[in-house]
Structure formats: structure tokens, C-alpha cells
Amino acid sequence: MLHITLGPERAVDPKTDELGRDRVGFSETMSELALYDANHGCWKLGSRAAKEQFAIVSYGGIVRQAIEIDNVVPIGAGGRSVINGRILHSGHPVYDRYVGKESPVQGVRNPVSYVDVEMDGRPCRCGCGGSVVGHDFLPGHDQAALHARIKQIGTVAEFLDWFDTVRGNKRVGG
């Protein structure tokens, strides 16, 4: 799960802000939509962000909002991204577990962090039925999936021949 720690609300210049915002940060007076609009964008995010299903936003050590992520889109030339999604409400398991409660991330310098939680999991890509969080495979399952596919072709050498033919690769050394 993606976690974003906010500072207090402050004004920004809409003419220079990549999203045209006039404020960022948190204030008790902000509506849910105002909080989302002010803070869903212009974050330095790693490649893991695109794999996350949910984001939580905290201020003052308390989670203030939960979002189901639709997509993460790069914006501008500075390597920053926008998180597009749907604001979650009471009755959703992520909202009920986190919003209004102590943040699972405390005392970090970087405003962007990740939390491994089971509810953010998705199926292991090998097809085993296991659940992974923040990765594509359970440990070692990437190799199992690869070798299962090689076995469908035959030997490793036969797999390499097939792969090179399909990809149009020129054989190196042999």
C-alpha cells in the first residue's frame, strides 16, 4: 500500500503548480474531495507505486484518507507522478482499518513510503494461488514459473531456439 505523509496546508501558485492547485497539505477544514485534489499529485514515486491498489494519506500521525488507485501517471519533466483514484468511505475494509487511526508509518523523512498489507495483495504471477504484496511473485516462484514454461517447449536449449526464432534474435556463440 502506498503511504503519503502530508504537512500542514499551505498555499501554492496555481500558475506554477503542475496541476494548477492553489494549496497542498492538510487542514481540518478540508472536505474529502479538497484533500484529494490538493494532494493526489506531484509525488516522486518509485516503480512499485504502479503496482499498488490502495493509498493512505496521513497527517500528524493519523490516517486522514484512503484511496483505491486507478492509475499512476507521470507528470512534467521532474520525475513526479499523479495518483488517480477513488476516495474510499466507511464500510470499505481499507478505510475501516486505517482512516482515523494511527498511521502505520511514523517518523520518516520521505513523505512517500510503502506498507506491506495483506489486503493490498494480488495473485502470484506463477499461478500457484498464493498472494503477493508489492511484488509479482512469491520468493522463488518466478523461477518456478519460468521453468514450467521452458518445460512446455522441451529442454532449455529448445526453449532458447524457440525464443530466438520468435524474437528474431541472432544466436551469439552457437
Side-chain angles (χ1 to χ4, degrees):
M1 178 177 324
L2 182 60
H3 174 265
I4 297 174
T5 303
L6 301 177
E9 180 183 19
R10 64 182 172 83
V12 294
D13 185 351
K15 294 175 187 166
T16 59
D17 183 77
E18 289 104 330
L19 299 178
R21 300 171 296 180
D22 63 355
R23 62 184 171 166
V24 295
F26 176 80
S27 167
E28 293 284 350
T29 62
M30 290 177 140
S31 68
E32 287 182 343
L33 184 56
L35 180 61
Y36 173 82
D37 286 343
N39 297 294
H40 74 109
C42 301
W43 297 104
K44 281 266 196 187
L45 302 174
S47 60
R48 179 174 171 179
K51 296 178 182 178
E52 299 299 325
Q53 293 179 311
F54 301 102
I56 53 175
V57 177
S58 66
Y59 172 78
I62 304 295
V63 175
R64 307 300 178 145
Q65 190 166 65
I67 300 162
E68 184 170 13
I69 299 172
D70 291 331
N71 57 43
V72 176
V73 181
I75 184 169
R80 296 186 179 275
S81 297
V82 174
I83 303 161
N84 294 311
R86 179 175 59 91
I87 300 168
L88 299 177
H89 298 95
S90 180
H92 189 282
V94 173
Y95 181 96
D96 293 345
R97 181 169 177 184
Y98 293 101
V99 176
K101 298 175 177 76
E102 184 175 307
S103 172
V105 178
Q106 299 284 336
V108 294
R109 292 186 73 188
N110 191 338
V112 176
S113 56
Y114 298 89
V115 180
D116 290 338
V117 295
E118 193 59 37
M119 67 179 57
D120 206 19
R122 61 180 176 277
C124 178
R125 297 269 322 262
C126 80
C128 70
S131 180
V132 293
V133 176
H135 304 283
D136 291 325
F137 298 94
L138 288 167
H141 287 218
D142 55 343
Q143 291 300 308
L146 179 61
H147 287 284
R149 275 129 181 110
I150 290 171
K151 197 173 190 178
Q152 291 177 19
I153 300 297
T155 66
V156 171
E158 290 170 325
F159 177 82
L160 294 175
D161 291 340
W162 169 82
F163 183 86
D164 289 344
T165 300
V166 169
R167 295 291 303 245
N169 293 344
K170 292 188 180 186
R171 195 45 115 36
V172 176

